[in-house]
């Protein structure tokens, strides 16, 4: 079974630029999550989708971050404009039908904002 | 809110047992997880325990849960150099939200 795929693996941008990350979850997984992991910290949930609907986006900085999950499969996370403090690893995870089931993580996208 | 705390660093010798500890604040957490993260990689699920269990064993891994004290531990028997990584404890809140600790860096020396 293929795991969670993410791209790109690395991205370097300057502050105020825009960036987008892509995630393809495990086939059949209805729930998709985006996490932000700042260096030296544990992952923090940004947004959770159930199929193509948003379940929880309470910690998403909505003035600059946006995410969508078209057709309930792939998802993109966008930052516009980026700030220095957005430098982090962005992890995508998916879980089977119901929330609460085990989450499986992708390799992450490492973002550096200069 | 939910807080999950871990010690930052643990150093052991190859062949010894490692014990990584975690405390959490939300007593309604239903599942508790241990994830492993190697450099430049995502999180790999190691094991998990349901909140009505006291112990779970899976090969070299033993998870102990003290629900009264809200304390979780992960014991790795016969620790190998390949076990060197960061280990994250996570608590499931409201049946859907994972709250992670800050991670414990395990260093295994030959």
């Amino acid at each position: 079974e293929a795991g969670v795929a993410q791209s790109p693996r690395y991205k370097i941008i300057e502050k105020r630029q825009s960036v987008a990350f892509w995630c393809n979850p495990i086939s059949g997984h209805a729930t998709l999550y985006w996490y932000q992991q700042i260096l030296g910290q544990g992952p923090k949930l940004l947004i959770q989708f159930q199929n193509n609907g948003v379940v929880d986006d309470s910690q998403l900085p909505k003035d600059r971050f946006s995410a969508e999950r078209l057709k309930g499969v792939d998802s993109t996370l966008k930052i516009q404009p980026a700030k220095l403090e957005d430098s982090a690893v962005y992890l995508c995870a998916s879980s089977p039908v119901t929330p609460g089931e085990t989450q499986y993580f992708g390799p992450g996208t490492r973002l550096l904002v200069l | 809110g939910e807080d999950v705390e871990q010690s930052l660093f643990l150093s052991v010798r190859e062949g010894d047992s490692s014990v990584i500890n975690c405390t959490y604040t939300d007593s309604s957490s239903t599942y508790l997880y241990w994830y492993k993260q190697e450099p430049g990689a995502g999180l790999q699920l190691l094991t998990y325990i349901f909140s009505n269990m006291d112990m779970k064993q899976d090969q070299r891994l033993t998870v102990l849960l003290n629900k009264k004290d809200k304390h979780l531990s992960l014991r790795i028997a016969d620790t190998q150099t390949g076990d060197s990584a960061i280990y994250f404890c996570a608590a499931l809140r409201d049946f859907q939200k994972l709250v992670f600790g800050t991670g414990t860096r395990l260093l295994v020396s030959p």
Side-chain angles (χ1 to χ4, degrees):
Chain A
E1 179 183 74
V4 177
Q6 291 188 246
S7 68
R9 291 296 312 276
Y10 305 92
K11 191 75 178 178
I12 302 174
I13 61 172
E14 295 187 349
K15 60 183 179 184
R16 292 187 288 274
Q17 286 187 323
S18 301
V19 64
F21 312 128
W22 174 82
C23 173
N24 180 239
I26 293 172
S27 178
H29 280 195
T31 311
L32 185 147
Y33 311 79
W34 283 103
Y35 288 85
Q36 180 192 58
Q37 185 180 18
I38 293 172
L39 186 65
Q41 298 182 18
K44 183 187 81 172
L45 180 68
L46 292 175
I47 189 167
Q48 176 185 339
F49 292 94
Q50 176 77 2
N51 296 309
N52 59 351
V54 175
V55 173
D56 182 355
D57 64 356
S58 57
Q59 298 194 82
L60 186 74
K62 297 180 186 66
D63 58 333
R64 298 183 300 106
F65 285 65
S66 64
E68 61 181 8
R69 190 182 184 198
L70 299 175
K71 300 180 182 178
V73 182
D74 293 5
S75 177
T76 56
L77 176 70
K78 297 179 182 177
I79 308 175
Q80 180 179 350
K83 292 185 175 181
L84 297 178
E85 59 262 36
D86 298 332
S87 294
V89 177
Y90 291 85
L91 295 163
C92 179
S94 69
S95 66
V97 177
T98 56
E101 295 194 52
T102 301
Q103 297 182 26
Y104 297 89
F105 284 78
T109 295
R110 190 173 299 270
L111 174 67
L112 179 61
V113 182
L114 302 175
Chain B
E2 173 78 43
D3 278 326
V4 179
E5 296 189 355
Q6 302 177 237
S7 53
L8 290 180
F9 188 75
L10 177 65
S11 179
V12 301
R13 288 199 173 275
E14 193 172 26
D16 289 348
S17 293
S18 307
V19 179
I20 302 171
N21 295 300
C22 170
T23 58
Y24 59 99
T25 56
D26 188 349
S27 57
S28 66
S29 298
T30 49
Y31 286 89
L32 295 132
Y33 297 83
W34 284 103
Y35 283 87
K36 175 184 179 182
Q37 187 175 40
E38 295 180 272
L43 276 72
Q44 174 195 351
L45 175 68
L46 288 178
T47 187
Y48 64 92
I49 189 167
F50 189 51
S51 59
N52 68 351
M53 297 170 64
D54 298 324
M55 186 184 87
K56 181 178 180 182
Q57 189 154 359
D58 185 359
Q59 299 182 334
R60 291 191 298 125
L61 305 178
T62 303
V63 179
L64 295 178
L65 175 61
N66 182 327
K67 197 172 179 182
K68 175 176 170 287
D69 294 338
K70 296 197 267 296
H71 181 268
L72 182 74
S73 68
L74 174 70
R75 178 177 179 270
I76 306 173
D78 188 25
T79 314
Q80 303 297 307
T81 54
D83 295 324
S84 292
I86 301 176
Y87 290 80
F88 289 95
C89 167
L92 188 68
R93 175 181 160 193
D94 299 331
F95 288 95
Q96 59 185 10
K97 182 175 179 178
L98 266 185
V99 179
F100 285 86
T102 52
T104 299
R105 183 177 297 273
L106 174 65
L107 178 64
V108 183
S109 54

